[in-house]
Amino acid sequence: MKLETKCIQAGYEPKNGESRMIPLIQSTTFKYDSSEEMGKLFDLEASGYFYSRLQNPTNDMVAAKIAALEGGTAAMLTSSGQAASFFAVFNIATAGDHVVASTAIYGGTYNLFNVTMKKMGIDFTFVDPDCTDEELEAAFKPNTKAVFGETIANPALIVFDIERFAKAAHAHGVPLIIDNTFATPVNCRPFEWGADIVTHSTTKYMDGHDVAVGGAVVDSGKFDWNKYADKFPGLTTPDESYHGITYTERFGLEGAYITKATAQLMRDLGSIQSPQDAFYLNMGLESLPVRVERHCSNAQKVAEFLEGHEKVAWVNYPGLPSNKYYERAKKYMPNGTTGVISFGVKGGRAAAEEFMRHLKVAMIATHVADAHTCVLHPASSTHRQLSDEELAASGVGADLIRLSVGIENVEDIIDDIANALAQV
Ligand SMILES: *Cc1c(COP(=O)(O)O)cnc(C)c1O
């Protein structure tokens, strides 16, 4: 099946007389005929459902669809993109371990790594995504367990050189984790470029309608945990909390990582997506390719308009030939990049604030990547917890306006921007 078909049909095959839509199983618990049968589930000897804090059939069908879209072998839904990033890393790195991460990542992820996970004893080294080979090499330590980057950084819009970082990670015997939220599998499938694990904030394009916060973790099934067994004992040695099963032995490379994340992390932390939200997410996924195509064509026109406007100081959109990442974007995302643009209005912070005051179609919201055009000035809102140095390091200047181009008529979006600019 091609991607558009998978968006509609993957993850669920109704049998004779069954609902055509992925069924919403809004139930916390599941009934069994005998305690022995239920016991088999608890021992991971049989697959099935017993409690929706760990797994729910609706979630699993939607996760299977996302796995199919990314070309992975297994996936899980989480309560948010933040939970997905946390699970993806914490599943293989624990106190005393170290992770190499790109500086060009979502501000919330940066905070999660640099503050909260550091408190948990996990050490992070942040590297510029365009660092030299020597700098990248120097970032690795004997206790490094993963490398983390973002396909197109929110909001810096830096395009990550997935292939290069995958090679470096693999040379050190660790997986590359990619947050593919902004590109979506419609525009980029990181596994095709060597990435091993993909995360999503499904809150963005995948849901696409502003209705449900959620996340996903997808495994390519390709990383050979057994080859580096000493680095990943959680996957390659017996889990005493599950009667001594070894995840790689029991579930193979294709299932070990997600099964461990479900059996241990979801069991203990319970950050699962609600089945109702998974149901909404599935509806978003059905139209994802159509919407992403329109987001990208609208954004391209808006970016070109901004680039030609005398009151605009600079425009950052990887679809513009003038962009530093244009060639890299063409390589990884030949059909389009994303619907998000950043730019600066001449006159800096004050002009930016004035511009924001006159927008009518574009709504001020912390959100990005859904059907509605939204606009944000990060330095005075989402990113205010970061210092000036941290802002600069994550590629977000104090004058930056982030515009998430929706799927409204592009002429209305451009007229709105033109009007607001006229009043600055
Ligand atoms: C929004 C976002 C996140 C966090 O996702 P939530 O669903 O808000 O928790 C992570 N990564 C990227 C790239 C995002 O845009």
Side-chain angles (χ1 to χ4, degrees):
M1 285 193 282
K2 303 262 191 305
L3 185 123
E4 293 81 354
T5 315
K6 287 182 191 167
C7 278
I8 309 286
Q9 306 214 352
Y12 171 58
E13 260 178 71
K15 297 191 196 74
N16 190 42
E18 285 185 347
S19 70
R20 195 180 62 171
M21 188 61 166
I22 286 183
L24 169 53
I25 312 289
Q26 187 73 49
S27 183
T28 57
T29 38
F30 301 83
K31 174 252 172 192
Y32 285 90
D33 289 342
S34 69
S35 5
E36 288 73 26
E37 296 223 24
M38 183 183 278
K40 285 184 200 149
L41 301 180
F42 273 90
D43 290 351
L44 299 180
E45 272 170 18
S47 69
Y49 298 91
F50 52 90
Y51 190 42
S52 287
R53 188 200 329 123
L54 289 89
Q55 267 187 301
N56 172 281
T58 304
N59 291 35
D60 282 356
M61 289 181 249
V62 180
K65 179 178 279 190
I66 294 174
L69 297 179
E70 287 288 3
T73 55
M76 72 197 301
L77 300 186
T78 55
S79 56
S80 68
Q82 287 296 99
S85 302
F86 176 70
F87 272 42
V89 174
F90 196 63
N91 201 31
I92 47 174
T94 173
D97 289 339
H98 170 261
V99 174
V100 176
S102 164
T103 49
I105 52 175
Y106 173 65
T109 314
Y110 182 76
N111 217 57
L112 167 69
F113 290 172
N114 194 46
V115 180
T116 301
M117 291 183 80
K118 271 192 182 165
K119 280 185 200 156
M120 300 170 77
I122 302 171
D123 186 24
F124 286 81
T125 298
F126 294 92
V127 294
D128 189 307
D130 297 317
C131 65
T132 64
D133 288 344
E134 293 70 37
E135 286 165 336
L136 181 54
E137 193 56 32
F140 285 89
K141 299 182 181 182
N143 58 341
T144 301
K145 297 297 167 76
V147 176
F148 189 99
E150 214 168 292
T151 315
I152 308 175
N154 172 11
L157 302 176
I158 290 169
V159 178
F160 196 64
D161 195 346
I162 300 173
E163 207 170 24
R164 175 186 177 213
F165 278 77
K167 279 192 188 124
H170 296 161
H172 289 271
V174 301
L176 174 64
I177 305 172
I178 292 288
D179 180 337
N180 196 32
T181 299
F182 264 30
T184 84
V186 173
N187 284 341
C188 180
R189 287 159 308 280
F191 296 156
E192 293 173 4
W193 302 100
D196 304 284
I197 292 148
V198 157
T199 62
H200 280 280
S201 165
T202 61
T203 321
K204 312 294 166 54
Y205 290 117
M206 284 190 167
D207 163 358
H209 299 82
D210 250 337
V211 294
V213 172
V217 183
V218 191
D219 182 14
S220 67
K222 284 191 215 145
F223 191 81
D224 192 349
W225 310 106
N226 292 321
K227 191 169 167 195
Y228 307 101
D230 53 325
K231 281 188 196 287
F232 304 104
L235 285 156
T236 59
T237 60
D239 177 357
E240 291 317 325
S241 71
Y242 272 110
H243 309 287
I245 70 154
T246 299
Y247 291 100
T248 47
E249 251 172 39
R250 179 72 68 83
F251 301 100
L253 295 182
E254 65 279 8
Y257 176 88
I258 293 292
T259 306
K260 174 179 181 288
T262 304
Q264 292 178 344
L265 301 186
M266 213 47 111
R267 176 194 62 190
D268 295 349
L269 302 169
S271 323
I272 199 164
Q273 194 167 122
S274 83
Q276 179 82 52
D277 286 351
F279 182 82
Y280 292 138
L281 170 58
N282 178 56
M283 295 209 289
L285 290 170
E286 291 195 347
S287 62
L288 185 69
V290 183
R291 288 184 292 105
V292 165
E293 198 182 316
R294 176 64 67 86
H295 278 290
C296 292
S297 68
N298 278 2
Q300 184 70 30
K301 287 175 194 150
V302 171
E304 286 165 10
F305 167 79
L306 287 169
E307 193 171 47
H309 200 287
E310 54 172 15
K311 289 192 182 172
V312 173
W314 54 270
V315 183
N316 182 10
Y317 184 64
L320 290 174
S322 62
N323 190 272
K324 182 179 174 191
Y325 297 101
Y326 181 74
E327 290 304 328
R328 196 182 285 169
K330 275 269 168 286
K331 169 179 168 176
Y332 289 107
M333 293 163 273
N335 299 326
T337 52
T338 191
V340 182
I341 298 171
S342 61
F343 65 98
V345 179
K346 282 183 188 163
R349 183 184 287 258
E353 282 169 4
E354 187 62 19
F355 168 78
M356 301 275 287
R357 260 175 227 128
H358 300 286
L359 291 167
K360 291 198 171 68
V361 174
M363 289 173 257
I364 297 178
T366 57
H367 204 233
V368 286
D370 71 76
H372 316 84
T373 294
C374 15
V375 64
L376 182 80
H377 184 217
S380 60
S381 52
T382 48
H383 283 54
R384 58 194 307 152
Q385 77 277 18
L386 301 189
S387 69
D388 277 10
E389 293 76 47
E390 286 171 330
L391 274 177
S394 65
V396 188
D399 64 335
L400 181 146
I401 288 177
R402 184 181 69 183
L403 179 69
S404 174
V405 181
I407 56 176
E408 299 95 340
N409 187 298
V410 71
E411 286 172 25
D412 289 334
I413 301 168
I414 290 176
D415 282 351
D416 189 42
I417 295 168
N419 286 337
L421 282 172
Q423 305 198 50
V424 171

